[in-house]
Amino acid sequence: MDRETKLLFNALMYEDGHKRRTQHILKVYALSKVIGENIGLTERELDILKASAILHDIAIKYCKEKYNGDCSQENQIKEVPKMVREFMESVGYPNDYIEEAIYLVKNHHCYTIEFSPMLQALIEADLIINFYESSKDKESIESYSNLFKSDAGKSMLENIKNTL
């Protein structure tokens, strides 16, 4: 198994069969890859993006346990560096990849900063999957449209809105 496959397997095993989180990981991982390739990320950037997509919500379970059910963004951001580092080191990612992945995972819900192409792809993939998984109405989804910059993300957002 390559390190990406090992990382994905380890993350899915960590979730202990939790249906929603397991499926969410798989969907955001796949869509991040599609968007990343669509916007022309380098192979290195795609590797970091895919690892970040796999781990983007990894702190939820831990925070629920450690903070008596409180998996707020604040608590997740506190725990992300250690968790992402441990998961990625365990399968052989280099330190520079890990540092960039930590940044992406910590900031994938921060919509007020300048987005690098990798962060843009992760944010768009996570939002699109969240829209599919939620019962948001067209107006709610439209309020996020300014965050979409990639052609793939914009097209998928339009598809979602057209089904409502």
Side-chain angles (χ1 to χ4, degrees):
M1 258 193 288
D2 65 19
R3 67 182 180 207
E4 180 183 318
T5 304
K6 288 178 190 173
L7 182 65
L8 180 58
F9 178 78
N10 291 348
L12 296 176
M13 294 307 295
Y14 175 75
E15 293 298 345
D16 289 328
H18 189 281
K19 288 180 186 178
R20 185 187 132 28
R21 287 196 307 264
T22 297
Q23 291 175 19
H24 186 76
I25 289 167
L26 292 168
K27 290 184 266 187
V28 172
Y29 164 71
L31 189 53
S32 291
K33 181 180 182 297
V34 169
I35 293 172
E37 288 174 356
N38 180 267
I39 63 175
L41 293 181
T42 66
E43 199 62 39
R44 178 186 183 280
E45 291 169 328
L46 277 171
D47 286 346
I48 295 166
L49 171 62
K50 291 183 290 184
S52 301
I54 291 167
L55 300 174
H56 79 283
D57 283 341
I58 201 69
I60 291 174
K61 177 184 173 188
Y62 182 77
C63 288
K64 284 186 174 195
E65 294 165 358
K66 182 176 180 178
Y67 299 105
N68 299 316
D70 181 1
C71 60
S72 65
Q73 287 303 306
E74 181 179 292
N75 286 338
Q76 288 183 56
I77 287 169
K78 279 191 260 182
E79 303 301 336
V80 157
K82 181 177 184 256
M83 294 187 77
V84 168
R85 181 168 305 286
E86 286 175 1
F87 271 87
M88 291 181 74
E89 281 179 348
S90 75
V91 296
Y93 280 90
N95 194 53
D96 60 319
Y97 282 47
I98 295 169
E99 291 304 320
E100 289 187 64
I102 289 169
Y103 176 82
L104 295 175
V105 173
K106 282 176 67 174
N107 288 292
H108 81 277
H109 285 144
C110 184
Y111 306 137
T112 59
I113 63 174
E114 185 72 26
F115 302 158
S116 69
M118 287 186 294
L119 184 56
Q120 183 71 44
L122 181 58
I123 287 172
E124 289 183 12
D126 190 40
L127 283 171
I128 288 167
I129 298 306
N130 286 339
F131 295 152
Y132 278 121
E133 294 173 344
S134 71
S135 56
K136 290 199 181 296
D137 60 32
K138 197 173 196 170
E139 208 169 85
S140 296
I141 293 171
E142 183 62 40
S143 70
Y144 289 91
S145 63
N146 65 313
L147 298 175
F148 287 77
K149 306 292 183 227
S150 76
D151 291 338
K154 287 178 185 178
S155 294
M156 295 193 83
L157 185 66
E158 283 306 309
N159 277 346
I160 293 168
K161 290 189 301 187
N162 290 337
T163 64
L164 299 177

